[in-house]
Amino acid sequence: MGQGLTVISTEQNPEVRLTVARCFRTLKSSTDSSDVIARTEFRRAHYTSALQLLVSNIQADWSHKLTAAQRAELWDDLFLKGPPEQALLVLMDAIGEPTSNLDHVVSITEKFLQRGRLAELLWSYCLEAAPSDSPQLRETLLGRISALPDITANRLHPNNRAAFLPQQYYTLLAAEMLTALERTCQALRDGTDCSLTFVAQTLGKVCIQGHSGLVLAVLAPRLSACTRSDMVWQRVCWKLLENVPQRWMESGCRIIGNLVLANKKAQFVITHKLLLLQYKYETQVLRITLGYLAADRDRRPLLIQVIRSLAQAWANSSAVKHTPLEQQLYVSKALLLSVSLLKDSEIQELRSELLQCMLGGMQSHLDSNVLQIRRMGMVVGEYLSSRMDINGTKLKFEYDQDEETRELLSLLVPVACNEPEAEPDSPEETSETSESAQNASSQNTSGPLDDELTPYDMSGDQEISKAAPPRYLRDCVEILMSSEDPVRVELALKAAESLVRKNAFAAREISVQMSKVLLHMEDKYSIDGFLFLRQVTMVALTVTDCIPVTQYLTTEFYSLNYSLRQRLDILEVLALAAQELSRPVTEKRDPSISSAATAESTPYPGDNPVHWRQVVERRIQSKTKFLSKRATQTGGKATPNRYAPVAGHFFFPLLKNYDKPQVTFDLLGGDHLVLGRLIHTLGLFMHLAVNAPIAAQMGCALLDFVWAVRYHTDQMVRRGVLFAVCSVFLSVPSQNLLVGLSDQLFETRSWLADVAEGDPDADCRNLAVQSLVLLDKSLKKQLQDPQALSHNHSSDILRG
């Protein structure tokens, strides 16, 4: 056959038909020694070439003159009855090539899958007389088998076949693996040697590419049933997992028997990699893995080894600071589950290690600025102390439960087996139980039937107070400064915000004095919502008399003799005031409606460190979406607001003195929480200054400030830095970026790319990606501007 080959009609030339048929019979089933040698040589050296020749001539005239029956006999059988590994490679290469007519090749590939040729391929590699090939060819074949859905989807979309979809293909592949394994078991019983290397490599390759769920959903139930009592199946499964390449074993380890004792790489994956290096698996995987180590007497020493490793990792102060929160939660879960599997005698054996882990690890966790990490330390510390029972004392902490702590606590509850409910011992017991239940029900629901008086509804009544709330602002301040009456102080605090907003002229006269009183005020009388009431009043004062109050608060932030709590309060008040001032002037606030009315139902945001993280995420997400829409428009619509003229008064004073440690305050030292909150606040001020004339100057100053702490060890500080950088790119016009910050943009872009790829914190990586997107949009916008003066420089940055 060749490019110029013409078809000779078989009706007119029966001798041709006979010759071709004789050749096919010889290649398929002849037992003559010379024919066998010819067939072997054809398969080895000429089969692939023949298939490639057919595919290359798929558009030839002689090909189109074949009838359907002739095509099936001359084409399909040659693909479907020869060496399956060679046929699959030719078909995959044909599908991947940019040819115009693929229908026939695709149909043959579909038949290849439907007729069990994958099982034949896998089985051919299981036999001792497996196809002789090179490592490169085997690697290529593994790639084609594991990625067949991707190859077909890329070439055939949107006309892909159902048989090539991942759900169907990987389910079929798993079934074909089982077929090959069944043949292997039977061959071993018959005394034939087999090899599972290729099947194991296929399993590992498919699992590492993310399809382990579909494959193991078919393999696991069947292998679990077969290995229950059949030693041949058990040895086959163990050998299968033993032959999975080391780089893929983590994804394929499922049914391994005692392989963990005999195979060092399996032991490393089970006892180290799955527990200490990875943290993507669900809790059930941890239960299964640790339960597997604890279930057998020979494997329990590995459980002790694992607990020692987990205790060291959990107590490592460097790991607490630098590893992602998700990984720390994963290690905490693994430690709790493994310790819960220990016997009392084993607890005594590990007593010194567990005690060191509890004391050192709790200290590292409780010193963290991240609330979730502190709660992890409390939960794990409580459980370790309860298991060791030191001098009969047990640790007990008070903390609010969140999703992470509830999950950790749930691990301490033994998993109940699904057993049938116990039946009652006798009919008498059933009747007694039923009668007692009825009596209890009647006692709960019965009431005084002879009471004819209807109770009066007093749910809406309020206690009449002898004191009245102050009506004038100066009276309010006087009460807050000097009164010792808890009732009067509470009433004054609840009325303060409303009085400030209703009497702006009077508020301006005493704004700084009242702010000072509130900043130093303590909750001596346990007033409900005290922190919130104080905060909203200070915000009202800042908004009403902006520049004097802002100057006072920003100055006091770096002053001596303030607690960290007060410094955080200052930042919170400034942030809330800036947000209120940044609203368009068309939005009017009703001064008669006071925030104090909702003080009891609204939490104080400063008490919750997660509050700022949520604010940051919401603002980054919302503004990024907004800008992506606005980027296609001519420009953002600027609206007048009260913040733009005073933005510098909020921003620049907070950049002073940050590098001068005070007696009780060291931003660049140990006060990471305050530093992180300060950078977040400055980023918020920058974000709110969009369209303000001073935005470009603020952006330059902010980038200079955060550049020195961009590699900070605390993840909250790094998040603040990235939020601030993102705010600069959001708020500073693109032309100003290139004019004022051109020398820094290249280095900033390189740093953001490194953070997006390598930072251990997921939030930092996401913020870095957001910043890169915003920076690139600004640079590309300048490139599209024919009047841009920095065209060449911006293109250099983009190329970098």
Side-chain angles (χ1 to χ4, degrees):
M1 298 178 184
Q3 295 292 342
L5 187 63
T6 58
V7 172
I8 302 174
S9 173
T10 55
E11 287 77 5
Q12 298 175 359
N13 298 276
E15 63 277 6
V16 175
R17 181 181 182 89
L18 290 175
T19 302
V20 172
R22 189 181 306 114
C23 290
F24 271 97
R25 282 195 301 270
T26 299
L27 292 174
K28 291 179 184 177
S29 58
S30 177
T31 58
D32 184 82
S33 59
S34 60
D35 291 340
V36 170
I37 294 174
R39 181 169 66 245
T40 303
E41 179 63 18
F42 176 77
R43 286 170 174 261
R44 185 190 68 81
H46 304 291
Y47 180 68
T48 296
S49 299
L51 297 186
Q52 290 173 341
L53 183 63
L54 288 176
V55 170
S56 64
N57 286 276
I58 195 170
Q59 294 287 8
D61 294 340
W62 61 265
S63 176
H64 289 282
K65 292 179 181 180
L66 293 175
T67 65
Q70 291 171 339
R71 184 182 291 268
E73 181 181 1
L74 297 178
W75 276 72
D76 297 7
D77 283 356
L78 196 57
F79 280 94
L80 300 176
K81 295 184 179 180
E85 70 284 353
Q86 298 184 48
L88 180 63
L89 288 176
V90 173
L91 290 172
M92 288 293 95
D93 289 343
I95 290 177
E97 291 176 356
T99 56
S100 58
N101 185 3
L102 289 177
D103 288 345
H104 194 201
V105 175
V106 171
S107 298
I108 295 177
T109 307
E110 194 171 17
K111 291 179 183 179
F112 185 95
L113 299 180
Q114 294 169 349
R115 296 189 183 182
R117 297 297 288 164
L118 277 178
E120 292 292 338
L121 189 157
L122 296 171
W123 169 239
S124 68
Y125 277 91
C126 292
L127 294 174
E128 274 286 299
S132 59
D133 56 10
S134 64
Q136 293 80 7
L137 180 61
R138 180 171 294 205
E139 190 68 26
T140 302
L141 183 59
L142 284 172
R144 296 295 189 273
I145 293 174
S146 61
L148 186 145
D150 296 329
I151 297 172
T152 55
N154 290 337
R155 186 67 181 91
L156 305 178
H157 181 77
N159 301 315
N160 203 359
R161 303 287 179 94
F164 303 149
L165 298 179
Q167 180 72 36
Q168 297 190 29
Y169 173 75
Y170 291 111
T171 302
L172 172 68
L173 179 60
E176 302 289 67
M177 287 183 186
L178 284 175
T179 301
L181 294 177
E182 288 172 355
R183 293 184 181 181
T184 301
C185 291
Q186 187 59 46
L188 292 175
R189 291 188 181 98
D190 296 338
T192 303
D193 292 336
C194 296
S195 171
L196 291 173
T197 300
F198 187 79
V199 178
Q201 290 173 341
T202 303
L203 175 61
K205 185 82 169 180
V206 170
C207 289
I208 200 65
Q209 290 183 352
H211 308 294
S212 57
L214 294 172
V215 173
L216 294 180
V218 177
L219 288 179
R222 176 65 177 158
L223 296 182
S224 297
C226 292
T227 55
R228 189 168 299 160
S229 58
D230 192 324
M231 283 301 301
V232 176
W233 266 107
Q234 290 177 8
R235 290 180 59 83
V236 166
C237 287
W238 300 343
K239 201 67 177 176
L240 175 69
L241 269 297
E242 185 177 355
N243 281 285
V244 172
Q246 183 171 1
R247 64 188 185 277
W248 299 338
M249 176 175 286
E250 178 188 349
S251 300
C253 258
R254 175 61 178 84
I255 304 171
I256 58 175
N258 268 343
L259 178 65
V260 70
L261 299 176
N263 187 280
K264 290 298 182 183
K265 62 183 180 181
Q267 184 180 121
F268 172 78
V269 170
I270 294 295
T271 63
H272 187 80
K273 194 170 186 180
L274 285 177
L275 302 175
L276 294 172
L277 300 183
Q278 296 287 357
Y279 52 95
K280 62 183 179 181
Y281 299 106
E282 298 179 357
T283 304
Q284 186 62 21
V285 175
L286 285 175
R287 286 188 186 274
I288 293 173
T289 303
L290 295 170
Y292 160 76
L293 296 177
D296 186 84
R297 180 180 60 185
D298 295 332
R299 297 194 295 263
R300 285 196 76 88
L302 291 179
L303 177 65
I304 304 298
Q305 172 187 328
V306 162
I307 291 177
R308 287 193 171 102
S309 300
L310 288 171
Q312 292 176 2
W314 189 82
N316 190 312
S317 60
S318 178
V320 172
K321 292 180 180 178
H322 301 295
T323 56
L325 180 62
E326 298 85 358
Q327 186 171 4
Q328 296 186 50
L329 177 62
Y330 188 82
V331 172
S332 299
K333 290 190 291 186
L335 180 60
L336 290 177
L337 285 170
S338 58
V339 173
S340 68
L341 295 170
L342 291 178
K343 303 174 183 177
D344 291 339
S345 59
E346 293 168 330
I347 289 286
Q348 295 303 318
E349 177 187 347
L350 292 169
R351 187 181 183 88
S352 60
E353 288 95 335
L354 293 179
L355 181 60
Q356 183 178 359
C357 167
M358 183 184 73
L359 297 178
M362 283 179 50
Q363 183 66 38
S364 300
H365 282 74
L366 295 179
D367 286 345
S368 174
N369 295 329
V370 183
L371 181 61
Q372 294 97 319
I373 294 178
R374 296 200 296 271
R375 288 174 176 168
M376 281 183 218
M378 296 177 191
V379 174
V380 176
E382 285 180 351
Y383 181 68
L384 292 180
S385 70
S386 67
R387 285 304 310 268
M388 289 187 292
D389 194 20
I390 304 173
N391 299 325
T393 60
K394 298 179 181 179
L395 293 176
K396 187 64 179 176
F397 296 96
E398 293 184 1
Y399 52 84
D400 296 328
Q401 293 188 13
D402 57 7
E403 183 178 351
E404 286 85 3
T405 54
R406 282 192 290 270
E407 184 177 7
L408 291 175
L409 293 171
S410 69
L411 303 180
L412 308 180
V413 181
V415 179
C417 298
N418 295 327
E419 300 178 353
E421 295 182 1
E423 297 182 358
D425 295 335
S426 64
E428 290 80 4
E429 182 180 348
T430 304
S431 61
E432 290 176 2
T433 305
S434 175
E435 182 179 356
S436 62
Q438 292 177 359
N439 291 339
S441 176
S442 63
Q443 291 174 5
N444 291 334
T445 58
S446 61
L449 301 178
D450 56 348
D451 191 355
E452 298 180 357
L453 298 177
T454 303
Y456 185 78
D457 184 11
M458 303 179 64
S459 60
D461 288 7
Q462 297 181 355
E463 182 180 357
I464 299 177
S465 175
K466 296 181 180 179
R471 299 177 59 185
Y472 301 101
L473 196 54
R474 289 191 177 275
D475 294 340
C476 179
V477 175
E478 184 67 28
I479 293 172
L480 296 177
M481 289 177 59
S482 58
S483 178
E484 299 293 334
D485 185 352
V487 176
R488 294 188 65 202
V489 173
E490 181 175 3
L491 290 173
L493 195 58
K494 289 184 176 180
E497 185 206 5
S498 177
L499 291 174
V500 170
R501 295 189 181 276
K502 287 180 179 178
N503 304 280
F505 181 80
R508 292 189 184 96
E509 293 182 347
I510 58 171
S511 59
V512 175
Q513 178 190 4
M514 190 172 185
S515 298
K516 183 177 181 179
V517 171
L518 292 169
L519 182 61
H520 291 83
M521 189 175 181
E522 298 180 356
D523 188 15
K524 297 188 297 183
Y525 308 115
S526 300
I527 299 172
D528 290 338
F530 170 81
L531 294 175
F532 180 81
L533 293 170
R534 185 185 65 163
Q535 183 189 79
V536 295
T537 305
M538 293 178 70
V539 171
L541 288 166
T542 308
V543 171
T544 303
D545 196 16
C546 183
I547 294 178
V549 176
T550 302
Q551 289 176 344
Y552 168 74
L553 292 176
T554 53
T555 301
E556 296 303 298
F557 178 77
Y558 289 109
S559 297
L560 297 175
N561 301 323
Y562 279 96
S563 67
L564 297 183
R565 173 74 269 171
Q566 288 173 305
R567 300 184 199 276
L568 293 176
D569 288 342
I570 290 174
L571 294 177
E572 195 80 32
V573 168
L574 291 172
L576 293 173
Q579 291 179 74
E580 182 175 338
L581 290 170
S582 66
R583 296 170 188 162
V585 293
T586 54
E587 296 182 12
K588 298 295 184 180
R589 177 188 176 101
D590 187 354
S592 64
I593 301 178
S594 172
S595 300
T598 59
E600 296 182 3
S601 61
T602 305
Y604 175 63
D607 283 343
N608 185 8
V610 182
H611 162 72
W612 268 98
R613 177 180 173 182
Q614 294 171 346
V615 169
V616 169
E617 290 176 350
R618 284 197 303 267
R619 291 190 167 274
I620 288 293
Q621 292 171 4
S622 63
K623 283 298 175 181
T624 301
K625 292 177 181 177
F626 172 76
L627 278 186
S628 65
K629 297 176 182 177
R630 192 178 69 177
T632 61
Q633 301 171 357
T634 57
K637 180 181 179 181
T639 55
N641 62 64
R642 294 181 291 165
Y643 173 72
V646 296
H649 294 280
F650 283 82
F651 183 84
F652 290 107
L654 289 178
L655 290 179
K656 295 180 179 178
N657 303 322
Y658 69 88
D659 55 348
K660 296 180 181 179
Q662 305 296 331
V663 178
T664 59
F665 181 47
D666 186 5
L667 268 182
L668 300 183
D671 296 323
H672 299 168
L673 178 60
V674 183
L675 176 61
R677 193 72 64 85
L678 171 63
I679 298 174
H680 274 125
T681 306
L682 291 171
L684 181 64
F685 293 159
M686 183 73 251
H687 167 66
L688 298 176
V690 61
N691 297 315
I694 203 173
Q697 185 180 351
M698 292 171 61
C700 293
L702 184 56
L703 286 183
D704 288 339
F705 170 60
V706 300
W707 194 251
V709 293
R710 65 188 185 282
Y711 293 116
H712 202 282
T713 57
D714 191 277
Q715 60 187 17
M716 290 300 295
V717 175
R718 297 199 306 276
R719 290 177 192 171
V721 170
L722 290 162
F723 171 55
V725 172
C726 204
S727 298
V728 172
F729 297 153
L730 281 167
S731 303
V732 178
S734 56
Q735 63 271 19
N736 293 68
L737 279 176
L738 294 174
V739 172
L741 304 172
S742 58
D743 296 335
Q744 304 177 25
L745 289 185
F746 182 82
E747 191 173 357
T748 300
R749 195 180 188 283
S750 301
W751 162 66
L752 289 173
D754 292 340
V755 174
E757 292 182 1
D759 197 282
D761 183 63
D763 289 337
C764 291
R765 295 195 298 271
N766 293 335
L767 285 169
V769 172
Q770 295 278 3
S771 300
L772 278 172
V773 172
L774 293 172
L775 176 57
D776 289 348
K777 282 185 177 179
S778 297
L779 296 176
K780 289 178 181 178
K781 183 178 179 182
Q782 283 299 106
L783 287 174
Q784 295 170 359
D785 184 1
Q787 298 180 353
L789 298 177
S790 56
H791 176 90
N792 294 331
H793 191 71
S794 58
S795 61
D796 291 341
I797 296 174
L798 282 174
R799 284 196 298 270

